Amino acid sequence: MSTRTAGPTGPGSAGTGSPWRNWAGNVTSRPVREVSPASAEELAAELRRATRDGLRVKTVGTGHSFTSIAATDGVLIRPDLLTGIRRIDREAMTVTVESGTPLKRLNVALAREGLSLTNMGDIMEQTVAGATSTGTHGTGRDSASIAAQIRALELVTADGTVMTCSEKENPEVFAAARIGLGALGVVTAITFAVEPVFLLTAREEPMRFDRVIAEFDQLHAENEHFEFYWFPHTDNCNTKRNNRSAGPAAPLPRLGGWFEDEFLSNGVFQAACSIGRAVPPAIPAIARISSRALSARTYTDIPYKVFTSPRRVRFLEMEYALPREAATAALRELKAMVEGSPLKVSFPVEVRTAPADDIALSTASGRETAYIAVHLYRGTPHRGYFTAVERIMTAHGGRPHWGKVHTRDAAYLAEAYPRFAEFTALRDRLDPDRLFANDYLRRVLGD
């Protein structure tokens, strides 16, 4: 056995181990012990041991969720030893990867093999299982979330069974477990669809808010991947259009890319956020300067170098998925709310899209979707802003991102998701004793 264990192990010592904190620092828990199994079989043994000890179990990757979805006072499983590519099948065009593999390592390894995922989010620090289990997504007219690119997965259930799930094997589990919230078992391996590596041309361009709203449907229809950022307290947006290109590659110049992506978007922005937190009345002036600092640019590169960007400024985030046709009305209401309130918002609002998919608890399940995400610098009081935003989003039938701040409960979510009962029935079957329960899952799924 190569499992690593840390912390006290007795059933009476719940919550007495080393504290765990998420990336944003807003969630803390104190598990009894941490373990790092090196295989599905070792993990199954740890689950049986936890059951004997009367302890709950949660798995955590890099802690990029802003909710307490991974928090536990029982056993915390770290997938540090469950990393790497198991196999590449060039005939089926799939890659099978261990669940603890960071997306950034997967992206680099695939590129080296001349392969790529079709779509991805804008950061790649998360583990593949953490990203898919919470519904991490990018933006796309035709291509959906990372979880929608899963073709099979390996799941260890509460009784220690190692289960392979796909459209052919255990299809009812596959339909739900691609975005399983850690409620159905522990994912130990994922098989993704891949394709030959391709080039994307990114066109980034400032645009006025009213124009983006007026042309939103057209911009969505005309581009494979469209997104934009609106800077509160201004009428300024920054748009980004990513489309496949025949080449040639024309990456960002090393110095120019560093200046905008690191110096401005991280270094200067960090300083501006710190000033804004200390002196909130300065935020509107800072926003006006920030929104004009990034210039138009066009570049062509392989997918992960276009889709993703470094995010070193820590923040809290709320994101809601709306029916796509409701996006512009919600954005107008959001802008009017900010302008008519004393709120001072230092972070831009991010807007992305996704096609409908067939995953039970996907935020895009069964409907064309627009995502509206709001952020605040870490340490800034967030309740007033997030509460006002949530009121707007829920009035439009919004579904909260599972890994981002929200206050919705099972009663609301059962109405928002037509297949909610299908998911909870499967949970009853796979985890009847709630080995994988915690306070967050009790709130969003019921008990």
Side-chain angles (χ1 to χ4, degrees), residues 71-130:
T72 186
D73 59 2
V75 179
L76 188 69
I77 295 173
R78 291 192 179 272
D80 307 355
L81 303 181
L82 296 171
T83 60
I85 292 176
R86 285 190 186 179
R87 62 183 171 274
I88 294 173
D89 186 333
R90 292 185 182 273
E91 184 175 339
M93 288 304 286
T94 60
V95 58
T96 300
V97 61
E98 301 277 350
S99 61
T101 306
L103 282 166
K104 60 184 175 184
R105 284 179 54 190
L106 174 61
N107 286 331
V108 171
L110 287 176
R112 198 176 292 129
E113 296 287 337
L115 301 169
S116 177
L117 296 172
T118 297
N119 199 356
M120 60 194 76
D122 57 5
I123 62 170
M124 54 177 181
E125 303 302 315
Q126 313 102 308
T127 62
V128 294

Side-chain angles (χ1 to χ4, degrees), residues 305-375:
K305 294 185 179 182
V306 174
F307 284 130
T308 69
S309 57
R311 296 287 184 88
R312 310 198 200 287
V313 181
R314 303 211 178 195
F315 53 85
L316 285 184
E317 181 176 359
M318 168 181 282
E319 182 176 55
Y320 265 81
L322 308 184
R324 188 166 57 80
E325 62 273 14
T328 55
L331 284 163
R332 286 193 187 96
E333 291 169 31
L334 174 55
K335 188 171 187 287
M337 181 273 292
V338 171
E339 291 173 348
S341 77
L343 293 167
K344 299 294 183 283
V345 181
S346 57
F347 258 79
V349 173
E350 182 180 25
V351 181
R352 295 176 286 176
T353 66
D357 64 41
D358 65 348
I359 305 171
L361 291 190
S362 166
T363 46
S365 182
R367 72 186 191 191
E368 294 277 326
T369 295
Y371 294 96
I372 299 176
V374 299
H375 316 67

